[in-house]
């Protein structure tokens, strides 16, 4: 119930405005977001890489209905990639892109613009020796995003996909994507979805995650296990052994600010561990989804409001 209220709030323009103007929210933002500027993102990346972790960087923003804004987001990614190149970090850091931030949600030819802008990012990433992963948004965009993925992979085969285990369709999508050279990030799914398309019960979502993971681990591709769930991390490790996967033929991924000690433990024991680092000013939707995943985070926010407000 609380989760679905929070997930609806994540798409409210009015609440977005109120929260963005409320300085006490800063403490929460700082925990989950690496900063506002390219320099902030590069600095956070550099620290994580020094600690033995890999990074994927998200320039925050989504659901853009403004062509110029979509262009600014594309340009921010291009500048970020240049900065990563200058800092010698492209061997350890890639970028994550929400297609709705680069035009997919625009009426009319949004899908075409999303592809064109994502292509520009993929081209720059490729030239600098890194790559991108296309984040997955709500289920109405899944077909369009997988279509864009296919187009990008034809030219840039390392372009990564995200599959959300909670969708009923995802086992079939995993089968399609479990092929040589295909990078697939498997997550539980963070949006408010109807029961007609998605599992909503936590135990059902966890079981679906394991079914999808088995397909990816048995396949020829490169699975990226995006979860903080200790049971699923353990099952992932066991499936890697059972499928005789070499170290480096799969990786774990977690979000910036979530279970950092576990991130470090996995990196220290020799696993590939990648941290998803969001930065930028458009943090509202991202932050509210993090609150929905762990309502205890709400009490941190409440404490921040009481102590600073
Ligand atoms: P679960 O939510 O069950 O959490 C397991 C445990 O992890 C919790 O008990 C808690 O200890 C800890 N934890 C989890 N979330 C926390 C939080 N916010 N704050 C504090 N502790 C927390 N989703 C999507 O729909 N599209 C996408 O493209 C992506 N991309 C993506 C990339 C990466 C690298 C990650 C790690 C996740 C995503 N997600 C995503 C989000 C994903 O779908 C999911 O909502 C979160 O990862 C939470 O699910 P868990 O698997 O961690 O399990």
């Amino acid at each position: 119930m609380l989760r679905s209220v929070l997930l609806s709030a994540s798409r409210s323009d009015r609440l977005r405005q109120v929260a963005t103007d409320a300085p006490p929210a800063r403490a929460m933002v700082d925990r989950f977001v690496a900063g506002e500027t390219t320099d902030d993102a590069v600095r956070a990346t550099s620290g994580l890489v020094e600690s033995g972790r890999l990074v994927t960087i998200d320039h925050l923003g989504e659901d853009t209905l403004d062509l110029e804004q979509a262009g600014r987001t594309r340009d921010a990614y291009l500048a970020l990639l240049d900065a990563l190149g200058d800092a010698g970090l492209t061997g350890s850091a890639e970028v994550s892109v929400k297609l709705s931030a680069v035009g997919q949600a625009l009426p009319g030819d949004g899908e075409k613009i999303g592809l064109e802008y994502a292509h520009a990012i993929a081209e720059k990433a490729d030239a600098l020796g890194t790559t991108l992963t296309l984040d997955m948004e709500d289920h109405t965009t899944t077909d369009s995003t997988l279509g864009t993925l296919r187009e990008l992979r034809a030219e840039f085969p390392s372009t990564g996909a995200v599959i959300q285990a909670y969708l009923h369709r995802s086992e079939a999508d995993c089968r399609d994507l479990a092929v040589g050279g295909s990078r697939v990030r498997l997550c539980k799914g963070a949006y408010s979805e109807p029961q007609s398309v998605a599992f909503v019960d936590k135990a059902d979502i966890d079981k679906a995650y394991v079914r999808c993971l088995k397909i990816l681990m048995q396949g020829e591709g490169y699975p990226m296990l995006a979860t903080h769930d200790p049971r699923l991390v353990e099952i992932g490790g066991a499936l890697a052994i059972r499928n005789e996967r070499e170290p480096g033929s799969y990786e774990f991924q977690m979000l910036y600010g979530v279970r950092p000690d576990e991130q470090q433990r996995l990196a220290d024991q020799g696993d590939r561990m990648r941290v998803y680092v969001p930065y930028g000013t458009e943090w509202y939707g991202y932050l509210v989804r993090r609150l929905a995943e762990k309502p205890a985070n709400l009490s941190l926010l409440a404490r921040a409001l009481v102590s600073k407000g």
Side-chain angles (χ1 to χ4, degrees):
M1 170 68 178
L2 180 58
R3 178 174 181 273
S4 60
V5 170
L6 284 168
L7 288 176
S8 309
S10 76
R11 294 207 131 150
S12 157
D13 284 338
R14 204 164 63 81
L15 288 177
R16 177 190 306 266
Q17 202 52 54
V18 171
T20 307
D21 292 345
R26 205 60 251 170
M28 276 307 288
V29 179
D30 290 346
R31 175 173 166 198
F32 293 110
V33 176
E36 296 197 343
T37 66
T38 306
D39 282 352
D40 291 333
V42 172
R43 199 172 310 113
T45 300
S46 188
L48 289 162
V49 169
E50 271 169 32
S51 75
R53 286 170 276 181
L54 303 166
V55 171
T56 182
I57 309 178
D58 168 27
H59 176 78
L60 289 165
E62 53 200 88
D63 295 337
T64 299
L65 293 174
D66 172 351
L67 181 59
E68 282 180 17
Q69 174 61 28
R72 281 195 293 275
T73 299
R74 175 205 52 201
D75 294 345
Y77 273 105
L78 300 180
L80 171 67
L81 284 161
D82 277 331
L84 290 172
D86 291 346
L89 288 167
T90 46
S92 309
E94 52 140 67
V95 294
S96 283
V97 178
K98 281 188 179 48
L99 285 175
S100 80
V102 290
Q104 185 193 47
L106 290 166
D109 48 4
E111 195 168 332
K112 200 167 137 264
I113 293 162
L115 171 59
E116 187 189 315
Y117 288 6
H119 184 277
I121 298 167
E123 199 166 42
K124 166 77 85 177
D126 189 59
L128 290 168
T130 183
T131 189
L132 82 165
T133 295
L134 297 181
D135 281 346
M136 193 59 86
E137 303 178 64
D138 73 70
H139 80 277
T140 62
T141 64
T142 309
D143 281 324
S144 164
T145 300
L146 291 178
T148 298
L149 174 82
R150 270 191 297 279
E151 301 258 3
L152 291 177
R153 285 202 68 220
E155 202 176 335
F156 309 105
S158 64
T159 305
V162 175
I163 295 294
Q164 297 153 318
Y166 64 12
L167 293 184
H168 298 152
R169 60 178 287 165
S170 289
E171 277 180 74
D173 288 334
C174 284
R175 262 180 227 106
D176 288 347
L177 289 169
V179 294
S182 162
R183 296 167 63 251
V184 183
R185 172 191 299 161
L186 181 64
C187 65
K188 288 188 185 178
Y191 293 80
S192 178
E193 298 289 14
Q195 291 197 26
S196 52
V197 300
F199 299 106
V200 290
D201 182 72
K202 182 175 163 24
D204 290 336
I205 297 171
D206 290 357
K207 283 185 213 152
Y209 192 102
V210 175
R211 288 195 297 275
C212 288
L213 189 53
K214 282 183 175 163
I215 296 167
L216 295 176
M217 283 295 207
Q218 280 162 12
E220 302 287 311
Y222 181 80
M224 305 186 278
L225 287 67
T227 182
H228 315 92
D229 188 327
R231 258 185 71 229
L232 294 179
V233 169
E234 204 183 315
I235 291 171
L239 284 172
I241 293 170
R242 190 186 302 165
N243 289 288
E244 298 179 351
R245 276 193 168 263
E246 297 290 329
S249 68
Y250 64 97
E251 68 183 39
F252 293 101
Q253 298 190 341
M254 293 188 189
L255 302 175
Y256 182 80
V258 179
R259 302 198 73 205
D261 294 345
E262 176 65 359
Q263 295 176 12
Q264 195 60 55
R265 185 189 72 81
L266 288 165
D268 289 347
Q269 74 177 24
D271 281 308
R272 280 170 74 85
M273 169 75 236
R274 191 178 301 273
V275 183
Y276 184 103
V277 174
Y279 80 102
T281 53
E282 296 288 315
W283 45 261
Y284 174 77
Y286 178 86
L287 185 71
V288 176
R289 285 196 296 279
R290 301 298 73 84
L291 294 175
E293 281 153 9
K294 186 148 180 174
N297 289 337
L298 276 174
S299 63
L300 288 179
L301 177 61
R303 275 208 295 280
L305 285 165
V306 169
S307 65
K308 297 197 184 171

